[in-house]
Amino acid sequence: MQDTVQTLISNVAFLVAGVLFIMALRGLSSQETARRGNVYGIIGMLIAIAATLSMTGDRTQPVAFAAIGGGAVIGAVMAARVGMTSMPELVALLHSFVGLAAVLVGLSMQLAHKENALAHRIDVYIDVMIGAITTTGSILAFLKLRGSVSGKPMLLPARHLLNLSMLTGIVVLGALYGMDGETWALLAAAGIACVLGVHLVAAIGGADMPVVVSMLNSYSGWTAAAAGFMLDNDLLIITGALVGSSGAILSYIMCKAMNRSIFAVIFGGFGAAPPKADKSKPAPPAGDVQEMTADDLAEKLSTSKTVIIVPGYGMAVARAQHAVREMSQVLRDKGVDVKFAIHPVAGRLPGHMNVLLAEANVPYDIVLEMDEVNPDMPSTDVVIVIGANDIVNPAAEDDPTSPIAGMPVIQVWKAGLVIVNKRSRGAGYAGIDNPLFYKPVTKMLFGDAKDAIEKVVAALKAL
Amino acid sequence: MKLGIVKETRPLERRVAASPQVVAKWKKAGFDVAIERGAGEAASYPDAQYEAAGAVVVDRAEAWQADLVLKLRPPTVDGATCEADAMRDGATLVSYIFPAQDQALVDALAKKKLNVLAMDCVPRISRAQKMDALSSMANISGYRAVIEAANKFGSFFTGQFTAAGKVPPAKVLIIGAGVAGLAALGAAKGLGAIVRAFDVRAAAEEQVKSLGGEFLTITLKESGEGQGGYAKEMSKEFLDAEYALFRAQAKECDIVITTALIPGRPAPKLWLQDMVELMKPGSVVVDMAAEQGGNCEVTKPGETIVHHGVHVIGFTDLASRMAHVASDMYGTNLWHLLEEMGGAAHHKVDEANDAVRPALILSAGDKKWPPPKPPEPSPSAKPAVVAVAAPPAPAKPAAKPAPKKSHGHGPAAEPPSKASAVILSVLGLLGAIAFVYFRFGNGATDHPIEASSAKLFQHVAVFVMAVFIGFQVVWNVAPALHTPLMSVTNAISGIIVVGGLLAGADKLELPVWVAVAATLFATINIAGGFLVTRRMLAMFRK
């Protein structure tokens, strides 16, 4: 009797937690409700943990409490310390923790119940495989985002064959494990899954990194759902499925934004050396770029009516968002209509630029999306591109052989004057030359984004 | 390369294809220019001015013999003879053509093996704006419409307070805020009137307001959703609402200027007879669509009539009434087109040039019209400055629920993914079947945590529901929130901690230690995820 009541209570608690998670995701879909959404998520999680602890009762080991306390502190410190510019890395790293936890849970089940039936083994196996792929994939994504590993995609000659044979290996070992329930088969398969995770992410690079992070997010959800089947726990299933499907949708939305097939992204290869057509052509946009000084720019800006600022990863790297905000503020005080234009995949995370601008107190109602600003471009006096490259590359529209052909871009070249701030003359993250720099409407402002913009601000104030 | 400017022969046409200023530019760029005697007379450009600009004044026949004949209105066709028969075989003609309306003309030109470029077919892309003669003429017509209205209107446009009494400002209603409508708006505003503009396109609102006009539109939010024959039902309601709005305005407004055109079709009837009768005596209606039959029911094309004391102006030659400036602007459009085609030195028709290709009707007599659809209409293809006479008749397009644009930012994903999508779905389905089979078929009953088939079913149902909810919830997220959303879902996926706790509730041996480690990692994720999200969200503010 006692047990039944206990089960009922924890089931109700799980249900409440599940609903709170749904409300959390729902809340996060608009600016007004986002903060409330996060609170719902926290409450849901606390309820879930409390309900689980009440289920396990006095069988819970004290060391588990220590793990919860320690984990909470470590997580809090990591979150509090991280700079807004290295947010993508942290998110990727956290994904790997979820994957790792799932692997460990599966392993623990295997070690504790070796004599399990086939049905149970299937659950364990799926949980561990997805978990392993998520773990190593996320770690590599973390290293790539941090810059410890080159962002260029690594393309082995027969990579699809390699993937296929690894997949076959996993299936074969799975069959072996299913028949005998041997731990070694599980571990060997997990090893292969780890390699597969690395290989999958290694093949993806360049502008596709945001999609990768979002895909890994989705994987971490599926692995939690698999754990739910294994442990016969509906809350895990619900939450895992929620996270898995929302992550998948998010990836899909981003792929659409880049006009790329999601399968092409998953199987990798983007951002590789451009097709040979590029070389046979006599390096088309070769020409001279025109430079402009900060003083000239300030003067030009102060006489403009409309200015659009297009930030990219370069702004994040130089931590220039505060200088940029100040520039926009000074201009707005002078009566200039300043807007920000954000490309859906600017930066290394979806929405990365919005987060940075928000950090610098830029009001979000002047931060617009690509589709909102493109029609206004011809009537815009000055566009300032700060550390962005591929997302303003006209080759995406003009040059069908370009690796980014067909990707919607911000059409800055239609404005009256385009100022491009760049550290150097190098190509963008995707390694593609940008004809924008050679257009007659374009002037370059070379230098670190922060220094350059601060100079402009000083010049503006001196005017 | 020799350019020939010929005199316009249509009745009421006072314009000429280029002004002396433009001719001077052509001379400088290396063209030879011949102009028919008296071609610019009606536009107040005497032959002497053309000569001073470097052109040779010649006879009609000689002008038509040039390599490139420049004209404004389409050549006239009379039975088997065509004006352009005077041209040399293989020469080039640039003028208005309206190929969709005048097949006979195109056939006649094709016989002469001519190259023909139609100024009315220049694409409405930003790059081609400088060549867009329809827009420049619409601009002039819009201005002139206001001037014609003022001519008939028996009062001031601007309000006046004088010793002799108070005069209220005139109220002007403009239907269709395209180029012509906006030009009329600006002109009327400049004269001091109160101006309102109606358009079915929400995008017009900003443009109207930027010129100081008041924007009128219809919002039909509540209208019959989800019924069969949706579009049709709605269009009737829409028209009714629109007419109701117009009737209310008819009682108030002194001047109504209508500009609604649908390419290749008769103009929609928007200002009905009873609306004219509702207007105050002495009011004026200017129907800029008169040539296409008129937006107003009582319009007589080409004439000004008085109906119930209301002047209804149906001039079809508004731009031609300003022939001087119109000729100069048209000539400038031509100048840009010839520049786009390589100037004097490298003149050629480049079919790869997407600003020129759509205007090409005939190439050495071969029919090139209609042009192929551009491979992928980029967002830029939408005109920044919208069509000549603006709103597509409210009757139909307004009611369409725009089915395709569900949420995406760009064009849909490309087809090759379809094959792989099918393969993956099939694989997924097979996997699911195998999963269910093994879970049911083999020892489902001796699952350690007492899983029965029914329970599994329940789990699968829950799983599917949750996947579905996840799709639904995230579909419409604002792109600015992608990062916080990802980070909160990341935190939530830390729910795996429940797994760690459940698996770890046992004697403290190896499996439990492993589970405890799982708990540790999961909690790091939970705390880190939620806090980072909080930090990010705290920064978003208006």
Side-chain angles (χ1 to χ4, degrees):
Chain A
M1 189 60 203
Q2 180 73 38
D3 264 10
T4 331
V5 173
Q6 176 63 54
T7 317
L8 188 68
I9 290 176
S10 34
N11 276 344
V12 169
F14 282 166
L15 185 67
V16 171
V19 170
L20 282 168
F21 290 149
I22 294 170
M23 286 163 70
L25 294 193
R26 176 88 229 150
L28 259 292
S29 60
S30 104
Q31 306 266 18
E32 281 74 28
T33 53
R35 266 170 263 192
R36 218 180 314 145
N38 194 38
V39 174
Y40 289 148
I42 295 173
I43 297 173
M45 190 58 76
L46 292 177
I47 292 178
I49 294 176
T52 313
L53 287 175
S54 83
M55 265 172 87
T56 53
D58 45 13
R59 284 176 297 141
T60 316
Q61 296 295 331
V63 69
F65 289 107
I68 291 180
V73 171
I74 297 173
V77 170
M78 281 167 75
R81 284 235 184 117
V82 67
M84 275 298 139
T85 38
S86 31
M87 191 73 69
E89 291 105 285
L90 179 69
V91 174
L93 189 63
L94 289 177
H95 287 152
S96 80
F97 288 170
V98 176
L100 187 56
V103 172
L104 292 174
V105 171
L107 208 55
S108 157
M109 291 302 282
Q110 162 66 15
L111 294 172
H113 309 276
K114 275 197 182 125
E115 68 290 354
N116 276 338
L118 173 60
H120 186 239
R121 285 182 208 142
I122 293 176
D123 294 341
V124 171
Y125 198 71
I126 294 177
D127 171 71
V128 172
M129 288 312 112
I130 307 181
I133 293 177
T134 312
T135 311
T136 52
S138 300
I139 290 175
L140 184 61
F142 163 71
L143 293 174
K144 274 194 171 190
L145 288 169
R146 238 182 113 195
S148 312
V149 172
S150 155
K152 291 256 161 62
M154 175 193 79
L155 296 178
L156 299 181
R159 64 180 203 282
H160 292 307
L161 202 64
L162 198 61
N163 283 340
L164 205 62
S165 47
M166 281 196 273
L167 213 56
T168 318
I170 289 177
V171 171
V172 169
L173 283 168
L176 281 178
Y177 171 72
M179 282 186 281
D180 304 333
E182 293 286 355
T183 307
W184 69 262
L186 182 65
L187 288 178
I192 297 182
C194 283
V195 178
L196 184 61
V198 169
H199 186 239
L200 279 178
V201 174
I204 312 174
D208 284 354
M209 278 320 276
V211 184
V212 174
V213 177
S214 170
M215 282 305 297
L216 291 167
N217 181 28
S218 170
Y219 291 163
S220 72
W222 300 126
T223 182
F229 278 97
M230 174 173 78
L231 293 162
D232 206 17
N233 183 305
D234 275 341
L235 179 62
L236 274 175
I237 297 178
I238 293 176
T239 317
L242 270 181
V243 172
S245 63
S246 60
I249 284 295
L250 201 54
S251 320
Y252 175 74
I253 292 176
M254 277 186 270
C255 284
K256 288 273 272 202
M258 294 190 297
N259 191 30
R260 293 174 47 62
S261 141
I262 187 145
F263 297 104
V265 174
I266 295 172
F267 296 122
F270 178 69
K276 52 186 179 298
D278 216 30
K279 275 165 198 158
S280 66
K281 261 196 303 181
D288 283 335
V289 298
Q290 311 165 58
E291 287 193 48
M292 195 177 202
T293 65
D295 290 342
D296 290 347
L297 175 55
E299 206 172 314
K300 176 73 195 165
L301 285 176
S302 60
T303 58
S304 305
K305 273 199 205 128
T306 50
V307 172
I308 292 181
I309 301 175
V310 181
Y313 190 57
M315 183 184 86
V317 173
R319 294 170 203 279
Q321 63 267 33
H322 292 281
V324 171
R325 199 267 308 159
E326 200 178 354
M327 177 171 73
S328 72
Q329 195 57 50
V330 173
L331 286 174
R332 273 152 63 91
D333 292 346
K334 285 179 188 279
V336 181
D337 178 17
V338 183
K339 294 211 172 70
F340 287 82
I342 310 286
H343 191 278
V345 295
R348 293 292 177 268
L349 262 197
H352 194 182
M353 291 301 125
N354 301 77
V355 171
L356 292 178
L357 292 178
E359 186 205 3
N361 283 333
V362 173
Y364 64 72
D365 45 1
I366 64 165
V367 180
L368 304 179
E369 286 166 43
M370 173 174 68
D371 293 348
E372 294 173 303
V373 291
N374 269 349
D376 294 342
M377 274 303 165
S379 58
T380 302
D381 296 332
V382 182
V383 171
I384 309 177
V385 178
I386 301 170
N389 193 339
D390 299 332
I391 59 168
V392 293
N393 193 335
E397 290 190 353
D398 304 342
D399 178 4
T401 62
S402 167
I404 57 168
M407 167 169 142
V409 290
I410 301 181
Q411 298 153 343
V412 293
W413 58 92
K414 292 188 176 157
L417 174 69
V418 184
I419 308 294
V420 178
N421 168 249
K422 256 176 126 276
R423 259 174 308 181
S424 65
R425 295 169 188 240
Y429 195 57
I432 308 157
D433 198 8
N434 193 339
L436 173 70
F437 304 154
Y438 310 103
K439 292 214 178 224
V441 293
T442 308
K443 298 241 174 5
M444 307 295 289
L445 179 67
F446 285 116
D448 175 80
K450 192 161 175 233
D451 297 346
I453 300 298
E454 276 171 357
K455 272 187 212 149
V456 175
V457 173
L460 271 174
K461 285 186 173 161
L463 277 175
Chain B
M1 173 141 265
K2 191 169 181 186
L3 307 180
I5 299 168
V6 297
K7 191 172 170 175
E8 300 298 321
T9 51
R10 300 211 175 210
L12 288 181
E13 187 54 75
R14 304 170 194 81
R15 289 169 292 181
V16 60
S19 64
Q21 293 90 309
V22 180
V23 169
K25 279 206 271 185
W26 274 323
K27 280 302 285 183
K28 211 170 148 202
F31 286 105
D32 286 328
V33 186
I35 183 162
E36 181 180 339
R37 199 174 311 284
E41 206 93 351
S44 317
Y45 293 119
D47 288 344
Q49 285 191 8
Y50 286 102
E51 274 177 331
V56 190
V57 175
V58 297
D59 288 337
R60 179 165 181 77
E62 200 180 334
W64 275 101
Q65 284 286 312
D67 304 318
L68 235 163
V69 175
L70 305 177
K71 210 177 150 0
L72 199 144
R73 301 291 290 266
T76 51
V77 181
D78 185 13
T81 59
C82 170
E83 237 184 328
D85 288 345
M87 287 178 70
R88 290 204 329 257
D89 282 3
T92 302
L93 171 70
V94 186
S95 74
Y96 281 163
I97 301 290
F98 299 108
Q101 280 99 310
D102 200 348
Q103 192 56 46
L105 172 62
V106 178
D107 292 341
L109 297 173
K111 260 187 263 159
K112 292 288 289 179
K113 302 267 175 251
L114 298 179
N115 302 307
V116 176
L117 288 144
M119 286 303 277
D120 50 287
C121 294
V122 165
R124 306 205 101 89
I125 59 178
S126 324
R127 196 155 68 79
Q129 260 179 38
K130 58 193 178 187
M131 314 188 278
D132 189 352
L134 289 180
S135 287
S136 30
M137 294 303 119
N139 180 18
I140 295 171
S141 306
Y143 171 87
R144 187 68 184 197
V146 173
I147 301 304
E148 295 293 345
N151 189 25
K152 285 287 174 198
F153 185 51
S155 180
F156 297 116
F157 264 48
T158 184
Q160 300 209 359
F161 292 87
T162 72
K166 186 181 91 169
V167 182
K171 291 197 175 109
V172 178
L173 171 66
I174 291 163
I175 300 177
V179 177
L182 291 174
L185 200 171
K189 192 79 199 164
L191 287 172
I194 295 174
V195 191
R196 296 157 186 173
F198 171 85
D199 201 302
V200 292
R201 301 159 307 141
E205 176 166 2
E206 208 178 277
Q207 295 160 2
V208 167
K209 287 190 174 155
S210 72
L211 285 168
E214 191 183 323
F215 187 70
L216 305 175
T217 192
I218 301 168
T219 46
L220 275 185
K221 283 179 197 134
E222 68 291 322
S223 66
E225 277 173 354
Q227 293 166 3
Y230 185 71
K232 204 165 184 192
E233 284 296 320
M234 180 119 163
S235 71
K236 167 130 181 26
E237 273 177 41
F238 192 94
L239 268 186
D240 286 347
E242 188 180 282
Y243 288 154
L245 174 79
F246 287 170
R247 288 197 177 96
Q249 292 292 328
K251 291 178 199 152
E252 269 187 51
C253 288
D254 303 300
I255 290 164
V256 174
I257 298 175
T258 66
T259 72
L261 280 184
I262 317 172
R265 297 242 304 272
K269 295 288 179 223
L270 299 174
W271 201 255
L272 309 181
Q273 186 172 340
D274 71 294
M275 297 173 190
V276 178
E277 288 162 11
L278 279 173
M279 294 177 77
K280 285 169 281 189
S283 302
V284 184
V285 176
V286 184
D287 192 338
M288 293 185 62
E291 194 156 16
Q292 278 74 26
N295 295 131
C296 174
E297 273 190 336
V298 300
T299 298
K300 286 229 168 60
E303 290 178 42
T304 299
I305 60 159
V306 180
H307 182 90
H308 267 248
V310 177
H311 300 275
V312 181
I313 300 176
F315 291 146
T316 54
D317 60 341
L318 286 168
S320 172
R321 283 164 182 256
M322 310 243 299
H324 195 76
V325 68
S327 303
D328 188 45
M329 289 174 99
Y330 185 83
T332 307
N333 291 138
L334 281 178
W335 154 261
H336 285 303
L337 176 69
L338 293 189
E339 282 299 291
E340 189 70 37
M341 293 171 67
H346 308 284
H347 178 85
K348 79 176 182 93
V349 180
D350 180 5
E351 292 197 20
N353 186 336
D354 60 0
V356 174
R357 174 65 188 89
L360 182 64
I361 308 296
L362 295 171
S363 174
D366 289 341
K367 217 166 154 196
K368 292 290 185 179
W369 186 88
K373 286 254 153 43
E376 195 176 275
S378 69
S380 68
K382 290 173 197 150
V385 181
V386 247
V388 184
K396 281 184 191 156
K400 279 186 189 149
K404 272 194 173 170
K405 246 188 123 184
S406 51
H407 71 283
H409 301 280
E414 51 278 87
S417 70
K418 270 195 189 147
S420 40
V422 169
I423 293 171
L424 281 186
S425 328
V426 169
L427 283 181
L429 204 62
L430 287 177
I433 292 170
F435 173 75
V436 172
Y437 174 77
F438 283 118
R439 286 279 323 233
F440 277 96
N442 292 287
T445 39
D446 47 303
H447 192 290
I449 318 174
E450 57 171 23
S452 66
S453 310
K455 202 147 196 190
L456 176 67
F457 244 138
Q458 181 203 327
H459 285 332
V460 172
V462 163
F463 176 76
V464 172
M465 290 284 282
V467 167
F468 189 69
I469 293 174
F471 279 154
Q472 291 298 319
V473 167
V474 177
W475 226 189
N476 290 318
V477 63
L481 284 169
H482 280 173
T483 294
L485 178 70
M486 201 143 79
S487 126
V488 95
T489 48
N490 175 52
I492 290 177
S493 66
I495 193 69
I496 190 78
V497 73
V498 170
L501 288 172
L502 288 176
D506 210 335
K507 269 185 293 174
L508 207 52
E509 282 166 7
L510 180 62
V512 173
W513 279 115
V514 173
V516 167
T519 309
L520 174 72
F521 284 116
T523 346
I524 294 179
N525 181 61
I526 294 172
F530 280 124
L531 281 176
V532 154
T533 314
R534 216 180 72 97
R535 270 187 66 193
M536 272 190 266
L537 291 178
M539 297 175 321
F540 279 94
R541 74 195 77 206
K542 226 173 189 156

